[in-house]
Amino acid sequence: AVAGACNTALARHGDSPAAVSHLHVAALQHAMLREHAAQRRASLERQLGGVDLSPVLAALNEDLARDGLSLGGRKELGCSPRAAVARLRAICAREVELLASAHPSAEPSVWNRLAETLGGVATGEDSMKMAEDQVALGRNMEGAEGEDNDDDGDDAADDGGGAPSHDAIRQQLRAWLGKESGCQQLAPERARLTTAKIGNWGITAAVRALAEGRWHGVQDQRLRDVPEGLGRLRIRTLMSVRIRGQKAPELVLSKSDKEEDQERLWHRLWAAFQRPRSALLVHHRNHYSLVFAMRSWEVLDGE
């Protein structure tokens, strides 16, 4: 949808060598998620006392793979960040026990620090929650939205002035695993890409990166044939409800809009759709797509 909107704005056929591809967009969004994941991870490592989380991610991926799952899997083959944290509790308990048996006097490891934060072994309630999350995940992975894809992409966490609470660290852990999930979903080796972790921020940032030529430093083979002449691309949010902390769009929707307000907004949207060399993307809760057509009708009195 994003690539199609770009090609519409540039008057380029989708099959043309000069067209923007969905792979170009996916590669840029993948790079953004990798950066966000690295920021989340660095923050977590500081909060846990300067540990290295590499073995944690590796152990989680191995544990999921044994069950035929992955962080970035689709539908029932995926694992939500919340369910992944529940799995980590059990992994932590196992690793702490093994370390204590092999090296009783060893310094606390990343597993000890993480187990302290997570609160020990996964309970029956955690296991039930994991099962519920797998069912819920099937509803989330198909669309354009996941657990955290509505954030603004500014993932440089604030470690604050004091020691973070365990709840705060668990929240950061889920956020990090959500970003890692998104990285897997848009990875170059992925046969079927998923934008479940991409919100408005990822759409806007990808188009601006194309327009400003900021793909040159990204190490991804999918960007080797990005066409030239993309500097004319522009993107903005035209219509939305008001979102706290974000600049209000040109057209603001509200549940309190009266009939005349709705009529005015509709005509403004119609005018934007008819504007030459432009395209509209609609972003719903579980989907975003290119707008191909609009229609309106008039209901006469008595009908």
Side-chain angles (χ1 to χ4, degrees), residues 2-3 5-6 25 28-29 32 149 151-153 198-212 214 233-238 246 281 283 288:
V2 178
C6 291
V25 178
L28 289 169
Q29 292 173 336
M32 296 171 204
N149 71 341
D151 64 26
D152 59 8
I198 299 297
N200 289 343
W201 62 268
I203 300 172
T204 301
V207 173
R208 288 175 178 166
L210 288 170
E212 298 167 9
R214 288 188 280 109
L233 287 173
R234 298 291 184 271
I235 186 169
R236 63 192 174 96
T237 300
L238 174 68
Q246 296 186 18
L281 286 169
H283 193 175
Y288 62 78

Side-chain angles (χ1 to χ4, degrees), residues 80-84 128-138 147:
S80 73
R82 187 180 297 275
M128 180 65 72
K129 184 61 181 174
M130 287 168 61
E132 292 173 354
D133 282 342
Q134 299 312 312
V135 175
L137 194 66
E147 288 192 18

Side-chain angles (χ1 to χ4, degrees), residues 178-195:
K179 298 300 181 182
E180 292 289 350
S181 170
C183 289
Q184 292 185 17
Q185 292 166 2
L186 290 173
E189 63 274 13
R190 182 81 173 224
R192 187 175 180 183
L193 304 176
T194 304
T195 55

Side-chain angles (χ1 to χ4, degrees), residues 5 8-10 271-280 290-291:
T8 299
L10 295 168
F273 178 72
Q274 293 182 308
R275 189 174 300 135
R277 303 290 288 270
S278 66
L280 295 180
L290 188 63
V291 178

Side-chain angles (χ1 to χ4, degrees), residues 28 39 41 51 77 87 90 94 96 107 134 251 297:
L28 289 169
Q39 292 170 344
R41 173 173 166 170
V51 299
L77 298 181
R87 279 179 175 266
R94 182 177 67 239
V96 168
E107 292 291 325
Q134 299 312 312
L251 305 177
W297 61 91

Side-chain angles (χ1 to χ4, degrees), residues 151-177:
D151 64 26
D152 59 8
D154 182 12
D155 289 293
D158 181 7
D159 291 337
S165 67
H166 288 175
D167 284 343
I169 295 178
R170 285 193 291 268
Q171 184 178 358
Q172 285 276 9
L173 181 61
R174 288 194 296 270
W176 170 50
L177 293 175

